[in-house]
Amino acid sequence: MNKMERVAAVLAGRRPDRPPVSFWHHFSPDCAAGPRAVEAHVRHVETFDLDFLKIMDDNRYPRIGLPGGVVASVRDLDRLTVLHGDEDSFGRQLELVGSLAHRYAGQIPMATTVFNAWSTLRQMTAPDTGVHGPPVMEAGHDPKDAAMARLLGEAPEAVEQALNVIAESTANFVRHCLAAGVDGIYLSVRDDWVETSGNGPGTYDRLVRPCDLKILKAARQATFNILHVCGKAVNFKRFAGYPVQVLSWADRTAGPSIAEAARWVKPALCAGVDNLGTLVTGSPEACIREVGDAIQQAGARPMIIAPGCTFDPQAVPEANLHAVRQAVDRSWP
């Protein structure tokens, strides 16, 4: 099987010749856009012979119309307007998507990273440093969470309107990405930033879920949409019914286990490797064992082998990454 056929088999619930495998990390800020970004993605795919490409998006949502580029007050929420989806940093990301789609069309499935409306607005409450890394699994210790709670407490209707504006703009961006040739989107969601005691129960389903679905609706014609449940989900099951082909999560550090999810999650499973533990501090042999364990947990159900989220490339030995790729050959009877 080639890479397209291998991934398509898993999406259809059929057994491939071996499990597809991929992993990803944020590249350096000078590789966020332009030819250097294209080169970084190509080098990553070809160094490790990956089966699908998650296009990184460090060209975050355009901060057009915001003084200092930051949402600092309720007044700033009202400054957000619906974007066409191809301006400013959206445009830089579209150039990257188009270049990679041109290079890899028909050779490897590609999903471009998209962040949901709450994550985007949360990020905009602080200056954009351009530096991005692996997730902090424990929520509630970031000033951005305090800023979101304050805005929601002061003006819930303005926050809701801002989230809808961001979702509509992001949906427009998604349509441009699909037109540029990408196979789907990798939508990152996180409910433990939302479902806090300060924000109140039901906040995610009331304010954020409709925005998630608006973004996914824009990608409904795509064939390779991945929903990534980041962090430690408060309610993992709320995401299991989202209209996507693949569900990605940190099974090792957040749960549920692959064995549990395999019994009731309908989208294809994408998990198995501890991006914060085994990849960083384990040996190549430990990485191989972890992949084998993931495949064993899935049982008869085919799955995609991948880390729970991004990893720090400076902290992860390259030998461990090669081991994850080689493990799918060793672990498949």
Side-chain angles (χ1 to χ4, degrees), residues 62-72 75-80 124:
R63 301 187 179 207
I64 296 172
L66 293 174
V70 174
V71 173
R75 182 177 299 178
D76 293 326
L77 294 173
D78 296 332
R79 291 188 170 99
L80 298 175
M124 293 167 70

Side-chain angles (χ1 to χ4, degrees), residues 136-199:
V136 175
M137 295 301 289
E138 301 297 333
H141 304 291
D142 193 306
K144 293 189 287 292
D145 294 315
M148 289 294 290
R150 175 177 56 80
L151 291 170
L152 188 62
E154 291 177 4
E157 292 183 357
V159 170
E160 182 175 9
Q161 174 62 19
L163 292 173
N164 278 287
V165 165
I166 292 170
E168 189 169 344
S169 300
T170 304
N172 289 337
F173 168 66
V174 165
R175 295 184 186 96
H176 284 295
C177 287
L178 297 180
V182 78
D183 299 291
I185 65 172
Y186 177 102
L187 176 62
S188 179
V189 300
R190 184 163 179 169
D191 69 352
D192 59 344
W193 284 341
V194 184
E195 293 286 319
T196 65
S197 57
N199 293 340

Side-chain angles (χ1 to χ4, degrees), residues 10-21:
V10 173
L11 301 189
R14 294 183 284 105
R15 184 181 176 91
D17 59 339
R18 62 163 178 79
V21 62

Side-chain angles (χ1 to χ4, degrees), residues 4 72 81 106 116 146 159 162 186 234-235 262 280 294 307 313 317:
M4 300 293 289
T81 58
N116 78 345
V159 170
Y186 177 102
V234 174
N235 181 5
V280 180

